[in-house]
Amino acid sequence: MKFDIPARPALGRGDFYVTESNAVALGLVDTWPHWPEGKLLLVGPEGAGKTHLAHVWCAESGARMVASRDLGQLDMAGVCSGSVCVEDVERVAGDRTAEEALFHLHNLVLANGYTLLMTATSVPSVWGLDLPDLVSRMVATTVAKVSPPDDILLSAVLAKLFADRQIVPLADVIPYLVRWMPRSFAAAGQVVAHLDRAALGTPKGVTRTLARQALAELEFPDETAPE
């Protein structure tokens, strides 16, 4: 009998795979005691590893991680008593309360001599912020970009996602997926989750045939994977 065990993502530094697509971003994060003005914005597509890299930084800097959606309910004095990471900062755009909270957090963290890491899927100029003072502070933040994955990194991410779910796919599965799936980390997460469900109760586990079925069922654009 196979049990459907929830995935437990591994978010340690040793689980962060480095290739050309993310090496520059990692290098900038590693210089955190010397960030210009004490802040850095990590930008990349959904599922690109921003959260993983943020967890690595929090563990090394002792920073607290908060979600942008929670900014309006935070005790700023308590939160800003150390370094802070704010995830998905672009989501505050258009919400006056959230924008003001991010503005005050930004100022307090830096005024107290700590560092601020933020993550987003795009650069500040396209967020649509309404608060002029926040716009100026975000635009002035150094940006570290995480690019879409190359073959090596996508293979490593797929292997990690399978391992997080305690799945050992057949040897030809990951090369097949890398060849035919969309080149994104979000797609990798969808594929592995789908295969995890599809493989429940099957004697052969995750096979190339099952992988092809998953790609067809997920209906990714321009899917042309062969038999």
Side-chain angles (χ1 to χ4, degrees):
M1 178 181 294
K2 183 175 180 179
F3 297 95
D4 189 5
I5 302 174
R8 294 183 178 180
L11 296 173
R13 188 182 184 92
D15 304 298
F16 188 82
Y17 300 95
V18 184
T19 68
E20 291 183 2
S21 63
N22 61 22
V24 173
L26 176 62
L28 285 170
V29 169
D30 278 343
T31 66
W32 67 269
H34 310 291
W35 289 343
E37 299 184 19
K39 57 184 179 177
L40 182 72
L41 174 63
L42 193 60
V43 173
E46 180 184 353
K50 301 187 300 296
T51 293
H52 191 162
L53 192 49
H55 275 278
V56 170
W57 177 73
C58 287
E60 295 182 356
S61 66
R64 175 174 178 175
M65 182 177 290
V66 299
S68 60
R69 65 177 180 273
D70 298 328
L71 287 173
Q73 291 75 48
L74 294 177
D75 171 12
M76 285 297 170
V79 172
C80 299
S81 60
S83 295
V84 178
C85 172
V86 182
E87 287 207 283
D88 306 315
V89 285
E90 73 269 36
R91 295 183 183 179
V92 306
D95 182 332
R96 184 75 179 190
T97 299
E99 288 193 24
E100 290 179 349
L102 179 59
F103 173 74
H104 292 307
L105 181 144
H106 170 283
N107 290 348
L108 281 171
V109 169
L110 301 186
N112 289 337
Y114 300 112
T115 46
L116 175 65
L117 177 66
M118 297 170 285
T119 72
T121 58
S122 58
V123 295
S125 59
V126 301
W127 293 353
L129 296 171
D130 294 325
L131 194 63
D133 288 339
L134 180 60
V135 172
S136 64
R137 283 158 175 76
M138 292 297 102
V139 171
T141 304
T142 299
V143 173
K145 291 186 178 180
V146 181
S147 301
D150 52 29
D151 285 358
I152 295 173
L153 182 54
L154 188 57
S155 297
V157 167
L158 284 166
K160 176 183 179 296
L161 291 171
F162 279 123
D164 287 343
R165 293 174 176 271
Q166 301 181 33
I167 298 172
V168 181
L170 296 186
D172 59 348
V173 169
I174 289 179
Y176 178 83
L177 290 174
V178 169
R179 173 66 180 84
W180 295 108
M181 66 178 282
R183 189 156 298 279
S184 78
F185 294 95
Q190 293 174 47
V191 168
V192 172
H194 189 90
L195 285 170
D196 189 12
R197 293 189 297 269
L200 286 174
T202 60
K204 295 183 179 180
V206 176
T207 63
R208 184 174 179 272
T209 298
L210 201 63
R212 185 182 189 283
Q213 292 174 355
L215 293 181
E217 291 168 1
L218 287 168
E219 298 181 344
F220 288 122
D222 302 321
E223 178 54 50
T224 56
E227 295 291 347

